[in-house]
PDB file of all heavy atoms in Angstrom:
ATOM      1  N   LEU Q1456     124.760  92.003  89.539  1.00  0.00           N
ATOM      2  CA  LEU Q1456     125.281  93.169  88.821  1.00  0.00           C
ATOM      3  C   LEU Q1456     126.388  92.709  87.726  1.00  0.00           C
ATOM      4  O   LEU Q1456     126.433  93.155  86.616  1.00  0.00           O
ATOM      5  CB  LEU Q1456     125.997  94.189  89.763  1.00  0.00           C
ATOM      6  CG  LEU Q1456     126.669  95.317  89.055  1.00  0.00           C
ATOM      7  CD1 LEU Q1456     125.501  96.324  88.372  1.00  0.00           C
ATOM      8  CD2 LEU Q1456     127.350  96.347  90.230  1.00  0.00           C
ATOM      9  N   GLY Q1457     127.126  91.697  88.157  1.00  0.00           N
ATOM     10  CA  GLY Q1457     128.176  91.140  87.292  1.00  0.00           C
ATOM     11  C   GLY Q1457     127.497  90.462  86.032  1.00  0.00           C
ATOM     12  O   GLY Q1457     127.962  90.772  84.886  1.00  0.00           O
ATOM     13  N   LEU Q1458     126.376  89.821  86.134  1.00  0.00           N
ATOM     14  CA  LEU Q1458     125.649  89.134  85.075  1.00  0.00           C
ATOM     15  C   LEU Q1458     125.031  90.269  84.201  1.00  0.00           C
ATOM     16  O   LEU Q1458     125.163  90.204  82.939  1.00  0.00           O
ATOM     17  CB  LEU Q1458     124.578  88.255  85.598  1.00  0.00           C
ATOM     18  CG  LEU Q1458     125.135  86.924  86.317  1.00  0.00           C
ATOM     19  CD1 LEU Q1458     123.871  86.179  86.926  1.00  0.00           C
ATOM     20  CD2 LEU Q1458     125.818  86.006  85.173  1.00  0.00           C
ATOM     21  N   LEU Q1459     124.373  91.257  84.845  1.00  0.00           N
ATOM     22  CA  LEU Q1459     123.721  92.261  84.002  1.00  0.00           C
ATOM     23  C   LEU Q1459     124.701  93.242  83.404  1.00  0.00           C
ATOM     24  O   LEU Q1459     124.412  93.508  82.200  1.00  0.00           O
ATOM     25  CB  LEU Q1459     122.770  93.107  85.002  1.00  0.00           C
ATOM     26  CG  LEU Q1459     121.675  92.156  85.711  1.00  0.00           C
ATOM     27  CD1 LEU Q1459     121.058  93.020  86.779  1.00  0.00           C
ATOM     28  CD2 LEU Q1459     120.505  91.786  84.579  1.00  0.00           C
ATOM     29  N   ASP Q1460     125.778  93.633  83.935  1.00  0.00           N
ATOM     30  CA  ASP Q1460     126.733  94.435  83.288  1.00  0.00           C
ATOM     31  C   ASP Q1460     127.332  93.637  82.012  1.00  0.00           C
ATOM     32  O   ASP Q1460     127.564  94.257  80.968  1.00  0.00           O
ATOM     33  CB  ASP Q1460     127.861  94.752  84.249  1.00  0.00           C
ATOM     34  CG  ASP Q1460     127.561  95.998  85.138  1.00  0.00           C
ATOM     35  OD1 ASP Q1460     126.536  96.627  84.815  1.00  0.00           O
ATOM     36  OD2 ASP Q1460     128.266  96.256  85.979  1.00  0.00           O
ATOM     37  N   GLY Q1461     127.496  92.234  82.160  1.00  0.00           N
ATOM     38  CA  GLY Q1461     128.001  91.508  81.144  1.00  0.00           C
ATOM     39  C   GLY Q1461     127.032  91.567  79.847  1.00  0.00           C
ATOM     40  O   GLY Q1461     127.466  91.592  78.816  1.00  0.00           O
ATOM     41  N   LEU Q1462     125.777  91.393  80.237  1.00  0.00           N
ATOM     42  CA  LEU Q1462     124.690  91.486  79.224  1.00  0.00           C
ATOM     43  C   LEU Q1462     124.774  92.728  78.470  1.00  0.00           C
ATOM     44  O   LEU Q1462     124.668  92.786  77.249  1.00  0.00           O
ATOM     45  CB  LEU Q1462     123.375  91.123  79.785  1.00  0.00           C
ATOM     46  CG  LEU Q1462     123.131  89.651  80.228  1.00  0.00           C
ATOM     47  CD1 LEU Q1462     121.883  89.517  81.111  1.00  0.00           C
ATOM     48  CD2 LEU Q1462     122.890  88.831  78.882  1.00  0.00           C
ATOM     49  N   VAL Q1463     124.752  93.876  79.195  1.00  0.00           N
ATOM     50  CA  VAL Q1463     124.636  95.169  78.634  1.00  0.00           C
ATOM     51  C   VAL Q1463     125.933  95.418  77.817  1.00  0.00           C
ATOM     52  O   VAL Q1463     125.894  95.838  76.587  1.00  0.00           O
ATOM     53  CB  VAL Q1463     124.547  96.140  79.735  1.00  0.00           C
ATOM     54  CG1 VAL Q1463     124.756  97.617  79.125  1.00  0.00           C
ATOM     55  CG2 VAL Q1463     123.181  96.147  80.349  1.00  0.00           C
ATOM     56  N   GLU Q1464     127.102  94.868  78.290  1.00  0.00           N
ATOM     57  CA  GLU Q1464     128.342  95.101  77.484  1.00  0.00           C
ATOM     58  C   GLU Q1464     128.354  94.335  76.237  1.00  0.00           C
ATOM     59  O   GLU Q1464     128.946  94.743  75.193  1.00  0.00           O
ATOM     60  CB  GLU Q1464     129.603  94.714  78.345  1.00  0.00           C
ATOM     61  CG  GLU Q1464     129.698  95.720  79.385  1.00  0.00           C
ATOM     62  CD  GLU Q1464     130.869  95.206  80.479  1.00  0.00           C
ATOM     63  OE1 GLU Q1464     131.452  94.148  80.238  1.00  0.00           O
ATOM     64  OE2 GLU Q1464     131.046  95.909  81.527  1.00  0.00           O
ATOM     65  N   SER Q1465     127.557  93.181  76.218  1.00  0.00           N
ATOM     66  CA  SER Q1465     127.561  92.394  74.989  1.00  0.00           C
ATOM     67  C   SER Q1465     126.563  92.903  74.030  1.00  0.00           C
ATOM     68  O   SER Q1465     126.403  92.387  72.946  1.00  0.00           O
ATOM     69  CB  SER Q1465     127.200  91.032  75.378  1.00  0.00           C
ATOM     70  OG  SER Q1465     125.787  90.886  75.736  1.00  0.00           O
ATOM     71  N   GLY Q1466     125.822  94.005  74.389  1.00  0.00           N
ATOM     72  CA  GLY Q1466     124.842  94.608  73.432  1.00  0.00           C
ATOM     73  C   GLY Q1466     123.367  94.258  73.679  1.00  0.00           C
ATOM     74  O   GLY Q1466     122.585  94.540  72.905  1.00  0.00           O
ATOM     75  N   ALA Q1467     123.128  93.455  74.832  1.00  0.00           N
ATOM     76  CA  ALA Q1467     121.730  93.090  75.042  1.00  0.00           C
ATOM     77  C   ALA Q1467     120.966  94.404  75.371  1.00  0.00           C
ATOM     78  O   ALA Q1467     121.348  95.237  76.178  1.00  0.00           O
ATOM     79  CB  ALA Q1467     121.697  92.122  76.227  1.00  0.00           C
TER      80      ALA Q1467
END
Side-chain angles (χ1 to χ4, degrees):
L1456 182 61
L1458 290 170
L1459 295 166
D1460 276 346
L1462 283 167
V1463 171
E1464 288 168 9
S1465 73

